[in-house]
Amino acid sequence: MLAHAVFGGLLLAVACHSAGLPASSSGGGKGPARNPGYVRMPVARHQFNGTGKSSRGWHWSSPPGATGFPPPPQPSRRPWSTFQPGASSTQPASSGHPPGPSPSVPSHRPRRDAQVQATNRWGWSSLEELGGIAYTIQLDIGTPPQTVKVFIDTGSYELWVNPRCDTSASATLCEAQGTYYPDKSSSSMFVGGEFDVSYGTGSVEGYYWSDVLSIAMFQIPQVQFAVANDSNYAFAGILGLGYAYPYSINYPSVLNLMVSEGLISAPIFSLGLGGDQDNFSEIIFGGVNTWKFSGPLVPVPIWPPISQQDPRWIQYWVNVTSVGMTKPGEHPVIYTPSDAFDMPMLLDTGSTLSYLREDLVAVIGQQFDATVDNAGNYLVDCAYRDQDGTVDFGFDSGRMVINVPYKDFIYQQYPGHCLLGVQPADAGSTNYVLGDTFIRGAYLVFDQQSDTIWMNQYYNCGDGVATVGLSKGDTGRIVGAC
């Protein structure tokens, strides 16, 4: 267990939301960046300058002559079978113990034809909670495998590794996440092309490589990802799980490749972060843990629809239709208008906190007798974490309400110092975010096949995984066992 003192100077919200906010730092690693703050809102998409070919063969990258991100036509769903980069895949056992009965997994399996649906295909991995700041997943990259841990981030769409530790928010934490050395892998290939992303505080830059990658019981050949050569503030790399090819990037992401390799049936993954400091967090690719919720999963459509979003920046927006609280021993109270309230919010595992309209934050803060510090942060008494109340978020006009326990909603930065789980979005911004202080209260299924987020209240009453994605919308037929 990492000491809380390590996090005392950190409020990391490694997030990739939307472009357009001013950067507080330009370029990666150009001096130390240890000032406590929020890593929020990337402000510049990187440019794709790769040639698409190295001396050792063809890779997923920009075509020759590309000098920037190619503006795609209005995207259409291309068959996942178009991703056929090469060798058949294997599925080694992952670290930890997956829930429920293990699927029958051959050690070597040829890629199946696109018309043949995968059955009983899912990959499970535990996640490590870093003091409520963020959640990491273990990757094994290369031949022989090199272990690194990266943040899972539903607010971005690419994988990168190797932050620069001497300019990170915590060199100790950074070094504990591991380092990947391409020259120590016999299967690594240099792709080329610059990777350059700036955040509200901090940035990263590097180049693209390709290598074999093991994740969540799966081994995937020829995965393209960025290897940083300079960065600041970030103390771990990032696994982006948002919409990728053919929208935001012009090569298949890790999630895309799981589908094209026949490892899962569709680009779907489920997430149960569990309660704060409960030491149980998991992600399942291609499956749903039916023992983490009760009753059916409720579909919440991505809103605005992807057809109305920037085709180069498709994200998991959902429409929140009510916000309220249930104080201990009292009836629920809703603080938003009872009719026609809409607030699109981004579901982002990479954000420690959630961000709302300031008027709503003020109302919620009053219920906790919050104070506001010089930086505008709402602070609350940590004793509220021990009370049996909830902060409530409604979707689909109240058809689904997620009740987040105080313990999971109030973020304890260090003992005796707690922040309200929702903070004001930047002035003039409508980039509202449902971060980990919300997600801990919900069981979520991110379904790119149906452009839907399936959700229900999170419980933990056992383990048992059901495959999803065999047909469009089949997640709706899953019933929780709790």
Side-chain angles (χ1 to χ4, degrees):
M1 175 68 68
L2 296 166
H4 277 288
V6 173
F7 303 112
L10 302 178
L11 247 184
L12 183 63
V14 182
C16 292
H17 308 320
S18 77
L21 297 179
S24 64
S25 171
S26 60
K30 297 176 175 60
R34 300 179 184 275
N35 185 43
Y38 305 97
V39 180
R40 297 167 48 203
M41 314 291 187
V43 298
R45 298 188 184 94
H46 56 273
Q47 298 296 303
F48 295 89
N49 296 319
T51 63
K53 187 176 284 288
S54 75
S55 60
R56 296 177 63 182
W58 178 85
H59 300 278
W60 295 101
S61 188
S62 301
T67 58
F69 190 91
Q74 183 67 25
S76 60
R77 293 306 174 95
R78 295 180 56 176
W80 298 112
S81 58
T82 57
F83 302 131
Q84 301 294 342
S88 61
S89 60
T90 61
Q91 298 182 0
S94 68
S95 59
H97 302 285
S102 299
S104 175
V105 180
S107 59
H108 293 278
R109 179 190 52 77
R111 185 183 302 103
R112 62 193 66 207
D113 185 86
Q115 280 71 42
V116 180
Q117 292 282 12
T119 57
N120 298 324
R121 289 290 174 207
W122 46 266
W124 174 93
S125 178
S126 62
L127 302 174
E128 181 179 357
E129 178 185 355
L130 299 180
I133 293 176
Y135 296 80
T136 62
I137 187 171
Q138 177 176 313
L139 309 177
D140 293 300
I141 308 175
T143 309
Q146 302 175 50
T147 298
V148 299
K149 295 179 181 180
V150 295
F151 298 125
I152 58 163
D153 185 12
T154 58
S156 66
Y157 45 77
E158 289 195 270
L159 169 64
W160 69 269
V161 299
N162 291 11
R164 178 175 165 180
C165 291
D166 64 343
T167 56
S168 70
S170 170
T172 301
L173 274 178
C174 180
E175 291 164 0
Q177 308 312 310
T179 303
Y180 166 71
Y181 299 95
D183 59 349
K184 294 184 179 180
S185 172
S186 62
S187 50
S188 67
M189 300 182 192
F190 180 71
V191 176
E194 296 180 357
F195 175 82
D196 187 355
V197 179
S198 297
Y199 299 89
T201 51
S203 55
V204 58
E205 57 188 40
Y207 295 92
Y208 287 101
W209 288 76
S210 173
D211 210 337
V212 61
L213 180 146
S214 294
I215 176 176
M217 305 165 64
F218 298 144
Q219 186 179 84
I220 312 172
Q222 296 186 6
V223 175
Q224 180 171 317
F225 56 95
V227 177
N229 57 16
D230 208 357
S231 67
N232 61 40
Y233 202 89
F235 58 81
I238 290 176
L239 172 62
L241 293 172
Y243 283 80
Y245 185 89
Y247 301 100
S248 304
I249 53 178
N250 56 353
Y251 67 91
S253 68
V254 172
L255 187 61
N256 293 150
L257 288 171
M258 286 183 182
V259 179
S260 68
E261 292 292 313
L263 303 173
I264 61 177
S265 303
I268 300 173
F269 62 94
S270 59
L271 193 65
L273 296 186
D276 184 31
Q277 303 298 308
D278 284 353
N279 296 318
F280 184 90
S281 304
E282 68 174 13
I283 187 169
I284 304 174
F285 297 97
V288 170
N289 193 334
T290 59
W291 291 76
K292 303 302 179 203
F293 58 96
S294 176
L297 290 160
V298 174
V300 177
I302 291 177
W303 190 266
I306 63 170
S307 62
Q308 297 178 22
Q309 295 189 38
D310 181 343
R312 296 170 295 176
W313 198 249
I314 305 297
Q315 296 188 312
Y316 299 117
W317 293 95
V318 292
N319 191 27
V320 174
T321 55
S322 67
V323 178
M325 285 179 61
T326 305
K327 294 182 179 181
E330 299 184 14
H331 294 293
V333 176
I334 297 176
Y335 301 130
T336 51
S338 58
D339 58 334
F341 178 81
D342 298 289
M343 185 168 57
M345 299 188 69
L346 174 65
L347 282 166
D348 190 355
T349 59
S351 183
T352 306
L353 302 172
S354 300
Y355 299 90
L356 304 179
R357 288 172 15 186
E358 187 165 11
D359 59 337
L360 276 174
V361 175
V363 171
I364 296 172
Q366 289 173 1
Q367 315 311 310
F368 291 101
D369 299 316
T371 59
V372 182
D373 66 14
N374 293 334
N377 298 311
Y378 281 67
L379 310 178
V380 300
D381 189 338
C382 292
Y384 279 108
R385 287 169 51 91
D386 297 325
Q387 294 188 14
D388 188 25
T390 63
V391 179
D392 310 325
F393 297 84
F395 303 86
D396 196 10
S397 300
R399 183 182 175 202
M400 169 51 57
V401 177
I402 300 298
N403 309 112
V404 185
Y406 285 177
K407 178 178 72 74
D408 300 327
F409 178 77
I410 296 171
Y411 171 58
Q412 182 170 266
Q413 188 179 6
Y414 53 87
H417 189 271
C418 288
L419 286 94
L420 192 66
V422 290
Q423 298 288 330
D426 293 332
S429 172
T430 56
N431 291 313
Y432 305 130
V433 178
L434 291 171
D436 294 338
T437 52
F438 163 81
I439 296 174
R440 279 191 283 268
Y443 190 81
L444 301 175
V445 182
F446 295 78
D447 183 352
Q448 293 187 16
Q449 184 183 45
S450 300
D451 299 326
T452 298
I453 306 297
W454 304 84
M455 64 173 67
N456 208 325
Q457 188 72 33
Y458 177 86
Y459 297 104
N460 186 0
C461 60
D463 290 304
V465 178
T467 299
V468 293
L470 297 174
S471 62
K472 187 175 181 179
D474 63 1
T475 302
R477 296 194 289 270
I478 303 297
V479 178
C482 294

